[in-house]
Structures are given as C-alpha cells and as structure tokens.
Amino acid sequence: MKRDWADDMTAGLNDEAPHPVDGSIVTSAMDYPDGHIIPMHRHACVQLLYAAKGVMTVDAAAGRWIVPPGRAVWLQAHVDHRICMHGEVALRTLLLDVDAAMARQLPARSCVLNISPLLRELIAAVHCTPTADNGARRNWHLLQLLLHELGSVTVLPLYLPLPLAARLRSLCELLMATPGKQVTIETWAGQLDISTSTLHRLFLRQTGMRFGQWRQQARLLLALEQLARGGKVAAAAQNQGYSSQSAFSAMFRKHFGSTPSAFYR
C-alpha cells in the first residue's frame, strides 16, 4: 500500500506527522532551489532520501552526510536531522514501515547508498503507482523488490562524524569554516589548552577517526558541496588547502574511486 505525502515538507515533519503503517510506504517528490533548508525534524520510521538531481547535506547530532546526485541517504527511525540543498535539488523521499524480518535485510545504520539503476527505477515506480486499491498489489511487489535491493547496494564513504563534546565540536565547526587554513594540530591543541596526545585520544573516542583522517574527510566532503554548486576543480582544491589541483584530484580519486569531474557525471 502507498499513501501520498503532503507537499509541504517544512511543516510538521516529526514523529507525529503521517507515517506508514502495516507494511505501507509514504512518498514525496519535491524540487528545491539552491540554499533551501528543511529544518530539524524526525520521523517514527526508516526513510530513504534520494537526490535525483543536485546535492544535499543532511545534518544530525552525531554527524553529517553528503548526498550527491544519483545517491541516497538511508536514515534510521527517530533520527533528528536537517537537510540543506546545494544547487537545484530534486528530492524523492520514501518513508517505510518495515517489520523485524525486513529490517534484518536493510542497512543497520544511517548511511549514504550508491543507488543502482534498478533501484533508481523502483524509486520512480513507487512514486507513480496509483493509490487506488487496484494499485496496492503492484505496489506491494515493488516494495518487496525495493527492500531487497536496498540490502545489497554499496555504502559510500560520505559521512563526517562530529564529536558531541562542546569544545571539540567548536573546533570541528571552525575547521569546516576554514578548511584551507594550514594550522598544525599543536596549535589546535594549544587553543583547547590540552596536549596533542589528549586531542588525538579525544578525537578518536568521539568520532572514531584520527584527527588527520577527519580533517581530510571534511575537506573532501566540503569540496563535493562546492563542486555541486558549479565550482571549478582548481578552486575547490585551493579552498580546501591542497597544494595543487593534481594533488586534490589524486586524493579525491583514492577516496571516491573517481576523478572530481567524472564523479558528478
């Protein structure tokens, strides 16, 4: 069974908003301008946010996901999140009611997924299926196949964990605001009035990543946002503090398996 979602995604999107029950699915297809923000909200069910066009950043308390075009973010139930659009975004949303057996086939954590051609067509199909009773059986089969495909697609490294500790989080926000600034970890540790070893230890404990790894991940993901707005590769490399465009492209390819120019194609 499928029910159509209300058009205004900025109003009442929380646990009390309409959500699927008894194996149903609620869908929404909305287009947004560059810079549009859907405020912090949550849902009582799992959801798939697919970027048919444009790039989204999805912010939660524990971190940020970057969702390029043709990819999707899978969010667990009750995750407070905010969505920001980069470039014109065509957002396709699925809210899913799944039982325990289905849940075991699906991603166990919130993540960005590489959407296969079949899964892309299934997302489009469930949006187009009639809501009348004669479309219920077809939609049930579409949903079963969609859930099966979701359990087999690749998880992409497009997540940036953020520490919950206030001082470390402020440091991360400063790093994201000035990614190209060449400041040593000794300087950052001094600003927090802690030793470098303590900073390394706290960072690993809070984010699961070493400081250098986190900063590199942040720069690459921020570059994705800039490229999504039509920015040039050379400008993205310079803004993120890389010594040259070739150095940036090499790191980008190592991390994402593609050159920056080919990634969005």
Side-chain angles (χ1 to χ4, degrees):
M1 175 183 177
K2 175 173 79 75
R3 293 186 288 130
D4 288 323
W5 192 356
D7 286 341
D8 187 3
M9 286 192 64
T10 65
L13 296 188
N14 50 46
D15 285 349
E16 288 70 45
H19 61 272
V21 295
D22 300 328
S24 67
I25 178 172
V26 175
T27 70
S28 172
M30 295 289 292
D31 295 340
Y32 294 97
D34 178 35
H36 183 85
I37 295 176
I38 298 176
M40 193 71 73
H41 64 280
R42 66 163 67 183
H43 298 284
C45 59
V46 295
Q47 63 177 310
L48 185 76
L49 301 172
Y50 171 60
K53 173 186 176 183
V55 173
M56 302 180 293
T57 53
V58 181
D59 292 303
R64 169 181 292 180
W65 296 272
I66 308 295
V67 190
R71 283 80 167 184
V73 62
W74 173 258
L75 291 179
Q76 297 295 323
H78 309 296
V79 173
D80 290 314
H81 60 284
R82 183 187 75 152
I83 308 170
C84 184
M85 313 303 172
H86 304 282
E88 295 181 356
V89 174
L91 174 60
R92 306 295 179 256
T93 304
L94 306 180
L95 301 180
L96 306 165
D97 176 68
V98 295
D99 58 26
M102 288 181 182
R104 286 194 289 270
Q105 305 173 34
L106 299 171
R109 57 184 173 84
S110 299
C111 58
V112 176
L113 300 175
N114 191 31
I115 301 300
S116 66
L118 174 57
L119 191 51
R120 181 183 66 238
E121 296 304 320
L122 288 169
I123 292 170
V126 295
H127 280 287
C128 297
T129 299
T131 56
D133 289 342
N134 59 9
R137 183 170 179 81
R138 176 176 183 268
N139 194 261
W140 183 88
H141 287 291
L142 287 173
L143 179 57
Q144 301 311 304
L145 183 53
L146 186 146
L147 292 173
H148 178 78
E149 282 297 298
L150 278 174
S152 61
V153 295
T154 305
V155 174
L156 298 174
L158 298 176
Y159 176 63
L160 186 68
L162 291 171
L164 296 177
R167 289 199 301 167
L168 280 184
R169 195 175 186 94
S170 295
L171 169 60
C172 289
E173 290 171 352
L174 181 58
L175 287 169
M176 289 189 290
T178 57
K181 193 174 183 179
Q182 301 298 332
V183 181
T184 66
I185 189 172
E186 289 78 13
T187 300
W188 293 121
Q191 291 188 9
L192 295 177
D193 197 25
I194 58 177
S195 67
T196 56
S197 59
T198 299
L199 179 56
H200 278 300
R201 185 172 63 254
L202 290 175
F203 225 89
L204 185 61
R205 182 189 305 163
Q206 290 270 317
T207 68
M209 302 176 73
R210 296 187 183 280
F211 180 83
Q213 293 173 322
W214 187 93
R215 183 160 57 177
Q216 181 185 91
Q217 177 83 341
R219 285 172 169 170
L220 289 172
L221 296 186
L222 289 167
L224 282 180
E225 293 181 28
Q226 184 175 346
L227 293 172
R229 297 191 185 97
K232 302 297 184 182
V233 175
Q238 182 179 22
N239 289 346
Q240 306 312 315
Y242 284 86
S243 58
S244 66
Q245 180 177 333
S246 59
F248 168 70
S249 295
M251 182 58 67
F252 192 100
R253 186 182 187 91
K254 179 181 178 181
H255 197 74
F256 298 124
S258 170
T259 62
S261 56
F263 186 82
Y264 285 108
R265 293 200 300 269

